[in-house]
Amino acid sequence: MILMWLGSFFLVMYGMAESQKQLSTLFFSLHKKVLNLGVETGLVKMFIRCADVVIFEASPQRSLYTGMALYNLRILGLAPAALIMSMSTLGVWWVALLGILFLGFSGYFILGFCVLGLFVFGSSARTKTLLQFAFNIGIFLIGGESMIKNSTVLQSLLGQSDLAFFLADGRFPAVFTLLIASVLLTLVVKVEFWSFVLGLSLLLTSTVSFNGVLGMIVGERIGRMILFWWHTRSLNQDCQRIGKQLSLVSIFGVLIGFWLAGEARNLFYFDFSGDLASFQDRSLQLMGLFLLVLVCQFLAQMLWGHFGSRVKVGELQEARYFSPMWSEREYLSAAAMSWAKEKVQKRLSEIRYHLQGLGSLKEGQVPEHLQSRLKDEEQQLARLIL
């Protein structure tokens, strides 16, 4: 039985993660057109381009890392890059929509539409992408329904044990333990919003208290920002500063949101029975508190962006670019990085031209440390555009 519940949980996670990727693919062409509006020409164009990176990606994590990568590559200035990173939390809109659809719409209906669409609309590349997108939404919803049906296995496993009472306890020790466990799991779990899906399943089975589920969600948000700081610690000095400051401000905003969500939960408390209607009510209530936490994180990031984008940047900094691991782990927007690759290729050509010119100069005319810096930058850029 536990394998059936785990299988249902996997379906929900798979449907959510894949639908995010397909949504980004559907908007790929439009994404690049908006990015080509200009690098920093006009406040309105800058805002549209930054909002495009955030909204079309439907992933706060990818938007956050993409903003840092574009600044690290010196493709965007500090102001637009800071705006993308500050607005990154808005990428949660797609997960929020899936949460609202959870248990409120049949996934089998969507899968039936996919089969019908395959016969009616043919198999063009765009049609396939659209049907894959709808298919993943259906998988998410079907996984949610199956997860509820197999939820009794968790209760039977825990029984009346001390662990069961501890998890259901909404007081500080239990909630803090779940928060720390969530932080640690986030450091190894790649899929974004895993805590929301797991927390929702545990909440609907009354395995974990509302406060405990919120602690798990907050723990993941904190863990994501710790990872962001860790991945930016080896970049140039200004990127290190941004990574450290934004991570601290975001964590502070999440904790404020956690406190406000707890107060809101106590103020608007509802007692539910175990029928399907109560499952929908609980999921919607959790979604509202989840969004409250993210709103506080967003406001904290925007406050940082207002002041952080006005900091004077040192012109002489080491050329230390992000690791190819960012692309391998799908931390970056495919459309934004495809657009950026053309500009990186141009700078790489200029560096190689200068390196060739060094061969015609007499020995000692160009300091050794400048030559080594050019060679190092050439190697890093060549590795990134492969």
Side-chain angles (χ1 to χ4, degrees):
M1 284 296 290
I2 186 62
L3 292 179
M4 294 178 66
W5 180 84
L6 287 174
S8 303
F9 176 71
F10 172 78
L11 285 179
V12 178
M13 292 293 297
Y14 177 83
M16 181 179 67
E18 289 301 311
S19 65
Q20 282 181 293
K21 295 178 186 177
Q22 294 299 329
L23 192 63
S24 177
T25 303
L26 285 170
F27 286 114
F28 188 90
S29 299
L30 180 60
H31 199 2
K32 291 192 71 174
K33 287 180 182 178
V34 175
L35 286 169
N36 283 322
L37 285 173
V39 178
E40 292 186 54
T41 55
L43 182 62
V44 175
K45 286 185 178 180
M46 183 182 77
F47 181 81
I48 291 174
R49 188 179 61 254
C50 294
D52 160 79
V53 174
V54 174
I55 301 301
F56 289 164
E57 280 305 316
S59 168
Q61 179 172 268
R62 281 202 294 272
S63 301
L64 180 65
Y65 280 83
T66 298
M68 175 61 80
L70 293 176
Y71 180 61
N72 180 235
L73 290 171
R74 289 177 285 175
I75 292 171
L76 291 183
L78 179 56
L83 184 58
I84 291 174
M85 289 184 277
S86 299
M87 295 173 63
S88 61
T89 308
L90 294 179
V92 75
W93 69 271
W94 176 244
V95 174
L97 183 58
L98 287 178
I100 293 172
L101 292 175
F102 188 80
L103 297 181
F105 197 83
S106 175
Y108 292 102
F109 175 82
I110 297 180
L111 291 188
F113 169 79
C114 290
V115 174
L116 183 63
L118 189 60
F119 287 107
V120 174
F121 300 109
S123 58
S124 65
R126 188 163 185 82
T127 301
K128 281 185 177 180
T129 303
L130 185 59
L131 291 176
Q132 286 175 355
F133 173 63
F135 175 81
N136 288 320
I137 297 175
I139 289 295
F140 172 84
L141 297 174
I142 290 173
E145 295 171 20
S146 178
M147 193 166 58
I148 299 304
K149 291 177 182 177
N150 297 308
S151 61
T152 54
V153 66
L154 296 176
Q155 295 171 327
S156 61
L157 277 175
L158 293 172
Q160 300 295 318
S161 63
D162 292 338
L163 179 59
F165 287 109
F166 181 76
L167 292 175
D169 188 355
R171 291 175 294 181
F172 178 78
V175 174
F176 183 73
T177 301
L178 288 170
L179 187 150
I180 296 300
S182 181
V183 171
L184 297 177
L185 276 173
T186 302
L187 301 181
V188 295
V189 176
K190 186 182 71 171
V191 181
E192 200 173 8
F193 298 115
W194 66 267
S195 63
F196 175 71
V197 175
L198 179 60
L200 185 59
S201 66
L202 296 177
L203 177 65
L204 298 184
T205 58
S206 300
T207 305
V208 176
S209 66
F210 244 107
N211 290 340
V213 172
L214 285 174
M216 291 172 58
I217 292 173
V218 167
E220 185 190 350
R221 302 316 303 164
I222 293 174
R224 294 287 167 208
M225 296 314 300
I226 291 175
L227 276 176
F228 179 66
W229 162 77
W230 181 258
H231 289 148
T232 57
R233 78 194 191 284
S234 59
L235 305 181
N236 59 40
Q237 297 93 318
D238 199 48
C239 290
Q240 289 179 26
R241 174 189 64 83
I242 292 173
K244 185 185 300 183
Q245 290 181 358
L246 185 56
S247 297
L248 288 174
V249 168
S250 294
I251 291 172
F252 179 73
V254 167
L255 292 175
I256 293 294
F258 187 27
W259 174 73
L260 290 177
E263 293 297 316
R265 168 67 183 156
N266 293 330
L267 185 61
F268 303 103
Y269 178 77
F270 298 95
D271 190 18
F272 301 110
S273 58
D275 56 14
L276 181 60
S278 74
F279 289 155
Q280 293 174 338
D281 290 338
R282 285 190 181 196
S283 63
L284 289 175
Q285 188 179 4
L286 178 63
M287 175 57 64
L289 297 176
F290 170 54
L291 292 178
L292 178 59
V293 172
L294 291 179
V295 164
C296 292
Q297 183 182 17
F298 169 73
L299 292 176
Q301 290 175 338
M302 290 298 288
L303 183 64
W304 167 83
H306 177 73
F307 296 101
S309 61
R310 300 184 178 187
V311 175
K312 278 194 172 184
V313 182
E315 294 184 3
L316 294 177
Q317 296 191 40
E318 293 184 42
R320 296 165 66 180
Y321 299 112
F322 58 90
S323 166
M325 176 269 295
W326 288 25
S327 298
E328 294 167 4
R329 296 189 180 179
E330 299 180 336
Y331 287 159
L332 301 173
S333 162
M337 298 317 294
S338 174
W339 169 77
K341 187 176 289 187
E342 302 169 5
K343 302 180 183 301
V344 173
Q345 183 68 59
K346 181 179 179 181
R347 188 158 81 251
L348 182 60
S349 299
E350 292 174 354
I351 291 174
R352 285 173 173 169
Y353 175 78
H354 290 307
L355 285 174
Q356 289 176 355
L358 290 177
S360 62
L361 297 175
K362 293 182 180 179
E363 185 177 351
Q365 280 189 295
V366 179
E368 185 64 31
H369 72 279
L370 292 180
Q371 295 185 43
S372 62
R373 177 175 291 186
L374 274 176
K375 292 176 183 177
D376 181 58
E377 184 171 4
E378 188 267 339
Q379 291 174 358
Q380 291 187 63
L381 290 177
R383 187 175 68 247
L384 287 174
I385 64 172
L386 288 178

